[in-house]
Amino acid sequence: AAAVTVGVLAVGTWIAKGPTPPEMRMVSATEVRSRVSSAFTSLHSLRGDVAIECAVPVGSCSPTQDGVRTTRQWSFITTAAGDERITGIGRRDDVAYSASRREQTVVSDDGPPFAQVLSNLAPGPPDFANRSSVLRRDVASVVRAFLDTTAEVPVTDVTEQERLAWRLVIPVTPNKLAGPGGSGDQLEVIVDRQSGFPLRIIETLAGRFLDEVRLSNLVVDGPVDPGSFTLKVPAGAKAFRHDGGFHSVAASKVGAIVVYQPVRPGPHD
């Protein structure tokens, strides 16, 4: 498993069905991985739903009892600027992050109503930063594992969510940090042919199901309401607030603040 922000190939807006069929031709696994990589690095905006089904604890999904599969679902909006809104479906689990304000608000009712408001956050660890979302922690983890593979496996034409897609079954190296039985040795990946997005990824270990990630109702590069990334703390919720103390300043003023000459990358670095 890995973790990155979900991105999108800039190919316009599509919802569930009705695309113009791409030209039929044989493609290689390397070409499919290249399409997926381009989709993630060409992000403008993406919204949709994500479901994670698991038979072992995986990121945000944990089985309620041994051997019983559990499914958790979220709706999401993400932008190239780093804004995110992740909302649990069927439960209160809401996370909003505004990159321009460097502020994250989390509201949960897993137990007593609770809210967390983190302001002036650092861009990332090791400083106190925003909580890693299900998109970066769970979805992108299996996507990165797929992109890191080099096996030239057969690519099969299939239909997924009424869309033409490619199917690949790829061997991967289990992640030892996940513990015994916690990471798979094979990924089955279904990739939308038009957009380059993985629509379904199934992880197995010695043929045993571990987890499945499904993306659906995707809207690529559609309009995004900036208010989506502002979340109010509900009345009666116990709120934890923390100011990380980070502020944006002009590059020309950094030297005076840190009292030494910062080293900045040159245009060719």
Side-chain angles (χ1 to χ4, degrees):
V4 291
T5 303
V6 168
V8 43
L9 181 65
V11 294
T13 301
W14 60 270
I15 304 185
K17 50 188 174 182
T20 300
E23 179 184 355
M24 296 292 290
R25 70 178 183 87
M26 296 296 292
V27 299
S28 67
T30 295
E31 288 179 284
V32 175
R33 282 193 292 266
S34 178
R35 286 291 306 281
V36 174
S37 179
S38 295
F40 275 75
T41 56
S42 302
L43 170 68
H44 290 280
S45 69
L46 178 71
R47 70 174 182 266
D49 298 329
V50 56
I52 299 178
E53 183 177 351
C54 63
V56 296
V58 177
S60 302
C61 182
S62 295
T64 54
Q65 52 184 306
D66 291 342
V68 178
R69 296 188 186 187
T70 296
T71 301
R72 304 194 76 180
Q73 301 177 75
W74 297 262
S75 62
F76 68 85
I77 308 172
T78 186
T79 73
D83 305 305
E84 280 191 347
R85 180 69 176 268
I86 315 292
T87 304
I89 296 176
R91 66 192 186 284
R92 174 66 67 84
D93 178 21
D94 213 347
V95 181
Y97 177 70
S98 169
S100 60
R101 299 196 309 271
R102 300 177 302 282
E103 181 177 275
Q104 182 182 70
T105 302
V106 179
V107 176
S108 172
D109 61 4
D110 187 10
F114 173 78
Q116 182 185 66
V117 181
L118 309 175
S119 58
N120 296 318
L121 291 170
D127 297 294
F128 194 80
N130 58 307
R131 188 184 89 178
S132 182
S133 73
V134 64
L135 291 179
R136 286 177 285 123
R137 181 181 59 246
D138 303 339
V139 175
S141 64
V142 289
V143 173
R144 185 187 298 174
F146 166 61
L147 294 179
D148 285 345
T149 63
T150 58
E152 275 302 325
V153 298
V155 179
T156 306
D157 292 330
V158 296
T159 300
E160 179 75 15
Q161 300 176 33
E162 301 185 40
R163 300 188 63 82
L164 297 176
W166 293 303
R167 175 181 179 269
L168 304 86
V169 178
I170 297 180
V172 294
T173 302
N175 182 356
K176 295 181 180 180
L177 297 179
S183 181
D185 59 10
Q186 180 174 279
L187 296 178
E188 178 183 347
V189 185
I190 309 295
V191 176
D192 175 62
R193 289 179 56 182
Q194 184 178 14
S195 72
F197 271 96
L199 300 176
R200 186 155 57 96
I201 301 179
I202 302 172
E203 185 177 14
T204 57
L205 177 64
R208 179 171 60 90
F209 175 88
L210 296 184
D211 60 88
E212 177 179 352
V213 173
R214 298 186 295 273
L215 293 175
S216 59
N217 301 319
L218 296 180
V219 178
V220 176
D221 289 352
V224 175
D225 178 5
S228 301
F229 311 111
T230 298
L231 179 59
K232 292 185 178 180
V233 176
K238 182 179 179 181
F240 167 79
R241 299 179 184 273
H242 176 80
D243 187 332
F246 282 78
H247 300 274
S248 297
V249 298
S252 59
K253 298 181 179 180
V254 174
I257 294 174
V258 299
V259 201
Y260 61 84
Q261 183 60 44
V263 177
R264 292 191 296 167
H268 304 294
D269 291 343

